[in-house]
Amino acid sequence: MPAHTVPAAPPVWPRIRRHLLVVVAAVLLTLGAATPATAAPAESTHADGKGLRDLAARSGLDFGNAIDTDALAGEPAYRALVAREFSSLTAENVMKWETVEPSPGVDDFAAADVLLAFAKEHGQTVRGHTLLWHNQLPTWITPEMSPAELRQILKRHVFTVVEHFEGRLTAWDAVNEPFNEDGTWRETMWFNALGPGYIADVLRWAHEADPDVKLYLNDFNIEGLNPKSDAMYALVQDLQAQGIPIHGVGVQGHLSIEYPYPEGVTENLQRFADLGLEVAITEADVRMLLPATPEKLATHAQYFDQLLRSCLAVPACINYTVWGVSDAHSWVPGVFEGEGAATLFDENLQPKPSYEALAATLAEQWPQRK
Ligand code: XIL
């Protein structure tokens, strides 16, 4: 099962409403089919050509997205939208271990380097994602390897990858998703072989390989105050007490309108900031049970907007990154059955109410960030 699966609440809709929606959807689809295929490319969203990146820059915030490098190569409208809207890019997949070292000692940075070239051309920064995670590992790494061997290949991986990208990234998600929901350690092959010290090792090695790149710990369901974010807080304090380099905490921001909005988000971001860290929203998306309705899209916009307002309220929150450029490119439908519509742009790359809500919030004055 995917790591992000949380028990799904049963659909609460009256049946009749669902039937009505099917009819409305069918009518809309028929109307849609009548419009020319060339209608309304993403470039036409704003006459002034400005995007979220320009609005965010006024408050010293980077506004990012997770980039599907296949879409970047093959879809001109996707490229145009990414160039216009985002100032920070994260590789959705192509910096993960399975991609960068498909066989032992054989490196492949080709796709990631294409992303970096695009970012340079468009004046965008890039976040590294991720040095160590329990998913998307190459198949040649197995839990049967000895702890000494695992530690050795981990060290080689961290040095090789961080050195390859040296000077070209603002930050690395050095370790991704180290905790369970109750704040206990996730028992990954790394934890089982090496104990919790694997986190300090990765941070030390990465810092040695590139002393300038910011090192983050990143996890989901640590938006608000809860046992999991408490565990992250305690880990950061412990690392700092030992003098281990740690510069930021990444709050992924995978939310669902099926669940209440998390409590204490601003306070939580602020407590990490008070430790002297940067914080970032690294993977924001807000999923819903399909089909989307105007009501659901309004709640969707509210969740995205509350998260942005918390980030803007904490000057140490320097980046707000959405996970997936459009609903056509989002990971959600492939992982959460019956769910989707999780991003700011619909399947035709048209902005949703959430986009308008974020644009309006970014256009407000945020004097505490000056
Ligand atoms: C996801 C990608 O979006 C998918 O394309 C891929 O198949 C699986 O990984 N948390 C993370 C991200 O840190 O790396 C994950 O990305 C989504 C959850």
Side-chain angles (χ1 to χ4, degrees), residues 92-109:
E92 184 176 8
N93 287 302
V94 297
M95 290 188 193
K96 292 172 182 173
W97 199 338
E98 69 174 3
T99 301
V100 297
E101 196 182 359
S103 335
V106 178
D107 301 325
D108 184 355
F109 297 115

Side-chain angles (χ1 to χ4, degrees), residues 38-322:
T38 50
E43 289 85 338
S44 66
T45 309
H46 291 287
D48 60 5
K50 290 225 162 111
L52 296 174
R53 64 182 286 177
D54 304 298
L55 293 168
R58 301 175 7 179
S59 298
L61 180 72
D62 266 340
F63 202 99
N65 214 310
I67 303 306
D68 171 345
T69 47
D70 291 336
L72 199 67
E75 300 172 28
Y78 183 97
R79 286 176 76 84
L81 194 150
V82 169
R84 189 191 67 228
E85 296 293 342
F86 307 112
S87 50
S88 165
L89 308 184
T90 302
E92 184 176 8
N93 287 302
V94 297
M95 290 188 193
K96 292 172 182 173
W97 199 338
E98 69 174 3
T99 301
V100 297
E101 196 182 359
S103 335
V106 178
D107 301 325
D108 184 355
F109 297 115
D113 287 340
V114 169
L115 178 65
L116 281 157
F118 181 93
K120 196 170 178 193
E121 189 186 334
H122 297 96
Q124 294 156 319
T125 56
V126 180
R127 291 180 59 86
H129 178 79
T130 168
L131 292 175
L132 189 63
W133 193 26
H134 55 278
N135 285 335
Q136 294 180 284
L137 290 167
T139 50
W140 58 267
I141 301 179
T142 69
E144 285 72 47
M145 289 173 157
S146 72
E149 195 177 358
L150 284 171
R151 189 162 193 271
Q152 189 262 323
I153 58 174
L154 178 56
K155 183 173 183 182
R156 187 184 66 193
H157 169 70
V158 170
F159 271 95
T160 306
V161 175
V162 176
E163 279 171 4
H164 176 81
F165 293 108
E166 191 183 352
R168 299 191 286 161
L169 304 178
T170 51
W172 267 109
D173 291 331
V175 177
N176 198 28
E177 304 182 350
F179 292 114
N180 294 317
E181 295 308 282
D182 64 359
T184 56
W185 295 109
R186 187 190 283 274
E187 295 185 2
T188 67
M189 92 165 87
W190 308 102
F191 179 86
N192 291 338
L194 309 174
Y198 82 91
I199 293 175
D201 281 342
V202 170
L203 292 167
R204 263 199 231 99
W205 294 329
H207 189 64
E208 203 183 318
D210 180 356
D212 294 328
V213 73
K214 301 260 166 69
L215 301 176
Y216 277 62
L217 301 175
N218 195 49
D219 217 323
F220 63 97
N221 288 351
I222 59 163
E223 293 72 33
L225 295 165
N226 60 40
K228 196 175 185 180
S229 63
D230 288 348
M232 184 63 95
Y233 186 76
L235 171 60
V236 169
Q237 284 184 309
D238 185 42
L239 292 167
Q240 288 182 326
Q242 295 178 63
I244 309 291
I246 170 73
H247 311 110
V249 165
V251 167
Q252 290 187 2
H254 293 294
L255 304 178
S256 161
I257 65 163
E258 299 302 311
Y259 298 97
Y261 185 81
E263 278 178 33
V265 176
T266 309
E267 295 86 326
N268 186 46
L269 299 182
Q270 187 62 53
R271 71 172 166 165
F272 286 108
D274 291 343
L275 294 178
L277 298 188
E278 289 184 353
V279 288
I281 311 298
T282 53
E283 308 185 13
D285 59 9
V286 181
R287 57 188 197 272
M288 63 183 72
L289 283 173
L290 296 174
T293 63
E295 292 83 4
K296 288 186 195 176
L297 288 171
T299 310
H300 175 259
Q302 246 174 41
Y303 277 40
F304 263 116
D305 189 48
Q306 282 185 80
L307 197 55
L308 176 61
R309 286 177 179 278
S310 286
C311 180
L312 286 166
V314 177
C317 186
I318 47 86
N319 188 305
Y320 186 100
T321 287
V322 175

